[in-house]
Amino acid sequence: MNNSLCMISIKVQDIEKAKQFYCETLNFKVERAYGDEIVELNLDGFPLILEKVPNPNTLVYEENSQVVIGLKTEDIQSDILYLTEKGAKLLYHTPQECPPGHFTVIEDPFGNKIELLEFAE
């Protein structure tokens, strides 16, 4: 098999609300729209696809198999404060320890989870 990673899709119920969250809160940029139900975003050259679906994500972060996007940070504590001020839903309001460093988890308006990771030096 000859393949390469080309994008990750996030299923959302409302494209405009999703664009607002991912662009205004997480600093993604809109690259292009493919009609009214699919939008391509970009962060540091990595494409993320928002795709409209009828139902929210109901998976429990700690209990279900799932794909989780990870965003790297250099200062998790200040990002937690920033996200709190932006009204983002955090599963953990203090950095959690993990083998590579520290993390927290953000939930988008549709129940999708995003890990914020600060790697130990």
Side-chain angles (χ1 to χ4, degrees):
M1 189 166 156
N2 186 11
N3 57 4
S4 61
L5 186 63
C6 68
M7 58 86 185
I8 292 178
S9 292
I10 298 182
K11 311 294 185 174
V12 299
Q13 293 171 277
D14 182 320
I15 291 290
E16 291 305 315
K17 189 174 183 179
K19 285 192 317 189
Q20 180 180 3
F21 175 80
Y22 283 92
C23 294
E24 293 180 17
T25 304
L26 300 180
N27 298 320
F28 281 82
K29 305 290 185 237
V30 173
E31 286 291 317
R32 66 184 67 101
Y34 299 95
D36 295 333
E37 298 190 356
I38 298 177
V39 172
E40 180 181 341
L41 303 180
N42 190 294
L43 182 65
D44 296 331
F46 190 86
L48 182 92
I49 304 296
L50 300 175
E51 183 178 350
K52 187 174 180 182
V53 296
N55 300 310
N57 181 342
T58 57
L59 297 174
V60 177
Y61 172 73
E62 299 90 357
E63 297 176 10
N64 295 98
S65 295
Q66 59 192 289
V67 174
V68 177
I69 295 169
L71 301 177
K72 182 180 175 183
T73 179
E74 299 299 324
D75 186 349
I76 195 166
Q77 191 61 53
S78 69
D79 285 343
I80 288 172
L81 293 173
Y82 165 82
L83 291 164
T84 301
E85 289 172 3
K86 286 288 211 174
K89 181 177 179 181
L90 285 96
L91 272 60
Y92 309 109
H93 291 276
T94 59
Q96 305 296 299
E97 288 189 28
C98 62
H102 292 89
F103 78 102
T104 190
V105 179
I106 309 158
E107 185 173 290
D108 80 2
F110 315 98
N112 298 303
K113 310 310 185 278
I114 303 144
E115 291 179 346
L116 188 62
L117 302 156
E118 179 181 275
F119 294 96
E121 296 179 13

